[in-house]
Amino acid sequence: MGQNGLRRSPPLTQYLIKCFKTKTPAVIYSNNQAKRDYIYIKDVVTNTCLRMFDTDNNTYVLGTGHSYSVFDIIKTLENIFGYSIDILTPTQTFWSKYPKLFEPPKPIQNHVLNHEIYKNCIIDHNLISNHRIEWSLESGLKDMISQMN
């Protein structure tokens, strides 16, 4: 999972883990329609190292072959922690401020923003030879939690 380093808001998974650890409500601006193929950073590093000396100059898009919504991640964290937290889902007015999450602010047209909010992304990892995925969503989250202690 990569995050833009210029974002003012915390990356989703770290934000949710912090909310679970402190048992504070999480504010989620999602309608559960958008799904992404979340890949754990250690799998990105492994697969990057596998391709480091490739001479074919190909571009690789890495993924697990599974897609998850924000609420799938929350459910996985509930299973890991053994309890749930309150999830607040305010109206979508947050997205009108999306460009202000960046420093400096980046103007984003509404159709581009809507595509970003509601997109579904999944990668067919079978398209890449020697592609290795060793971390599931749950094991990656558990590793993140241990790193945040």
Side-chain angles (χ1 to χ4, degrees), residues 89-106:
T89 54
T91 60
Q92 298 289 6
T93 56
F94 168 83
W95 293 109
S96 64
K97 298 175 185 166
Y98 189 80
K100 295 177 186 170
L101 287 175
F102 299 91
E103 186 62 44
K106 297 178 185 248

Side-chain angles (χ1 to χ4, degrees), residues 10-135:
L12 174 69
T13 49
Q14 284 121 335
Y15 169 70
L16 289 173
I17 290 168
K18 181 180 175 187
C19 289
F20 270 89
K21 289 175 99 173
T22 59
K23 297 184 179 180
T24 56
V27 179
I28 303 299
Y29 296 92
S30 175
N31 63 5
N32 207 26
Q33 290 177 355
K35 294 191 174 206
R36 308 289 196 279
D37 187 337
Y38 290 92
I39 185 170
Y40 193 49
I41 188 65
K42 291 182 179 181
D43 281 330
V44 172
V45 171
T46 297
N47 285 283
T48 301
C49 290
L50 287 171
R51 306 287 171 286
M52 199 167 359
F53 299 106
D54 283 358
T55 58
D56 56 13
N57 293 322
N58 286 332
T59 300
Y60 296 99
V61 180
L62 300 175
T64 65
H66 304 285
S67 63
Y68 303 95
S69 70
V70 170
F71 291 95
D72 293 331
I73 295 170
I74 291 169
K75 185 69 175 163
T76 303
L77 286 169
E78 288 174 347
N79 292 335
I80 292 169
F81 281 93
Y83 56 83
S84 60
I85 60 171
D86 290 332
I87 304 298
L88 308 176
T89 54
T91 60
Q92 298 289 6
T93 56
F94 168 83
W95 293 109
S96 64
K97 298 175 185 166
Y98 189 80
K100 295 177 186 170
L101 287 175
F102 299 91
E103 186 62 44
K106 297 178 185 248
I108 302 174
Q109 297 173 337
N110 281 338
H111 74 279
V112 174
L113 186 56
N114 284 332
H115 175 72
E116 175 63 22
I117 295 167
Y118 298 113
K119 72 181 175 187
N120 289 292
C121 300
I122 188 166
I123 306 302
D124 182 357
H125 68 274
N126 294 315
L127 297 175
I128 304 171
S129 63
N130 299 325
H131 186 75
R132 286 193 289 187
I133 298 298
E134 298 171 0
W135 294 84

